[in-house]
Amino acid sequence: AQKVTQAQTEISVVEKEDVTLDCVYETRDTTYYLFWYKQPPSGELVFLIRRNSFDEQNEISGRYSWNFQKSTSSFNFTITASQVVDSAVYFCALSELGRDDKIIFGKGTRLHILP
Amino acid sequence: NAGVTQTPKFRVLKTGQSMTLLCAQDMNHEYMYWYRQDPGMGLRLIHYSVGEGTTAKGEVPDGYNVSRLKKQNFLLGLESAAPSQTSVYFCASSYSGLHNEQFFGPGTRLTVL
């Protein structure tokens, strides 16, 4: 069965610290997609990244980086030199490409960046 | 270019009342989705549509109906609202299926008394 676990419910760090948000997934499919979305206090979800199951390359985008490891079924998200504007709820999601269109979101990690 | 818009932003209903939430997108996307977000639950897919005139059930479809009469609009209906349907509802769209980036609307906060 599909499952996405974000074990960290809430994290607080001081501005400029690095922080990693964990995401562990379960799937039986060999073809799947992983996502991270950001939900700032305004409420609207914003897409950050997508990874397919055949591409384990890590990705860096400015202060954001993602570490995809199939061996541990994890897709972790690191913010380097955090800023107050990074305060938000972050969701990891898993989509399987196959018989049914399905997407499962994790419960989210609320990140507080303290000035 | 407004992206995805939702109407209304807030609504309070009494148990048993009906209402329709409207979602509109101007990106010419084929796929549209309705989610609900409950505290500590993440987002759960209610219904989705793979094109004009089509609809399909998601993870939590009971108590909701949808229609996609025009490509740019996706309506979510509650025929007889229940307190368990108190939630924040998000509409989203994507160029193709659930394996692609989704663009979300601002959400509708619904309270059922």
Side-chain angles (χ1 to χ4, degrees):
Chain A
Q2 256 185 331
K3 192 174 178 182
V4 174
T5 302
Q6 294 182 255
Q8 303 149 308
T9 306
E10 202 158 344
I11 301 175
S12 294
V13 300
V14 177
E15 198 173 18
K16 297 182 184 174
E17 287 185 351
D18 299 347
V19 58
T20 295
L21 309 184
D22 298 333
C23 174
V24 174
Y25 63 92
E26 290 179 30
T27 178
R28 292 179 185 163
D29 280 16
T30 56
T31 303
Y32 53 89
Y33 294 81
L34 294 162
F35 302 84
W36 277 95
Y37 284 88
K38 174 182 180 180
Q39 186 177 38
S42 59
E44 197 164 322
L45 279 88
V46 176
F47 168 83
L48 295 177
I49 190 171
R50 179 188 80 157
R51 255 299 171 261
N52 73 53
S53 50
F54 300 108
D55 183 1
E56 279 194 80
Q57 266 194 327
N58 290 333
E59 174 116 359
I60 298 175
S61 176
R63 296 183 297 105
Y64 294 173
S65 62
W66 291 269
N67 184 309
F68 176 27
Q69 291 197 336
K70 288 176 76 171
S71 60
T72 56
S73 297
S74 65
F75 186 40
N76 295 338
F77 172 32
T78 297
I79 301 175
T80 302
S82 60
Q83 299 177 2
V84 172
V85 292
D86 296 326
S87 296
V89 181
Y90 292 87
F91 292 97
C92 180
L94 165 68
S95 171
E96 295 172 345
L97 188 67
R99 47 197 181 278
D100 297 318
D101 281 334
K102 274 187 183 177
I103 186 164
I104 297 294
F105 281 78
K107 294 183 179 181
T109 296
R110 184 176 296 276
L111 178 62
H112 300 279
I113 308 297
L114 307 172
Chain B
N1 192 346
V4 179
T5 57
Q6 292 182 230
T7 309
K9 288 186 169 46
F10 304 93
R11 186 73 186 267
V12 178
L13 289 178
K14 294 182 180 177
T15 297
Q17 288 185 317
S18 63
M19 78 161 295
T20 300
L21 306 184
L22 170 64
C23 176
Q25 53 95 5
D26 60 3
M27 296 173 282
N28 202 34
H29 285 166
E30 290 294 333
Y31 284 67
M32 295 186 74
Y33 316 90
W34 276 107
Y35 293 90
R36 60 178 289 172
Q37 182 180 21
D38 301 297
M41 291 292 293
L43 275 79
R44 291 181 292 170
L45 184 63
I46 304 171
H47 285 282
Y48 63 98
S49 168
V50 303
E52 182 178 321
T54 75
T55 63
K57 293 181 180 180
E59 183 186 354
V60 290
D62 294 342
Y64 305 95
N65 56 75
V66 287
S67 64
R68 183 104 180 263
L69 298 179
K70 293 182 179 180
K71 186 177 184 179
Q72 63 268 33
N73 295 338
F74 194 30
L75 277 61
L76 177 71
L78 286 73
E79 289 183 349
S80 179
S84 60
Q85 294 177 304
T86 293
S87 188
V88 180
Y89 292 86
F90 286 97
C91 177
S93 70
S94 66
Y95 178 70
S96 60
L98 282 165
H99 55 285
N100 273 312
E101 169 188 1
Q102 294 181 55
F103 294 81
F104 282 83
T108 295
R109 185 173 294 275
L110 175 67
T111 301
V112 182
L113 303 175

